[in-house]
Amino acid sequence: YGCTFSVAHRLTQTITLNPVFRWQHSESVGRSSSGEVSDVFGVNFGFDREFTTHIRGRVNYSYLLRSSNIKNSSYDVNLVTAALAYFF
């Protein structure tokens, strides 16, 4: 189970902020289960920019943290991406 919250907020006529927050809890169950219990927390901040009616760009930062009761199964990730798209 878990939850995700996201919103799109127009900062200017051409720039939109898109934050996303998420959390997920998992438990491994069953006869052949590892007994793992994990939580994943994530945050994402993206800025979209409309340069023209046909060209849009996006810069995005994501952080993900996974915690687990299993040794060497916890980690965190930082990721920055950029994209440019042409629509016709």
Side-chain angles (χ1 to χ4, degrees):
Y1 56 89
C3 65
T4 300
F5 173 77
S6 64
V7 64
H9 179 66
R10 181 159 278 194
L11 300 175
T12 69
Q13 188 173 352
T14 59
I15 299 175
T16 303
L17 171 65
N18 297 296
V20 178
F21 303 93
R22 82 172 235 209
W23 165 73
Q24 180 180 340
H25 178 79
S26 300
E27 295 182 17
S28 179
V29 296
R31 184 170 284 188
S32 61
S33 166
S34 64
E36 181 178 24
V37 177
S38 67
D39 286 292
V40 176
F41 301 93
V43 62
N44 181 57
F45 288 98
F47 289 94
D48 294 330
R49 167 103 193 249
E50 186 175 327
F51 295 104
T52 70
T53 56
H54 297 286
I55 299 174
R56 294 184 191 150
R58 179 178 180 93
V59 175
N60 195 61
Y61 169 74
S62 296
Y63 177 74
L64 183 73
L65 173 65
R66 182 179 191 272
S67 61
S68 172
N69 64 333
I70 303 293
K71 185 177 180 178
N72 297 324
S73 292
S74 297
Y75 58 85
D76 66 329
V77 177
N78 285 287
L79 180 65
V80 175
T81 57
L84 192 61
Y86 182 83
F87 299 89
F88 51 102

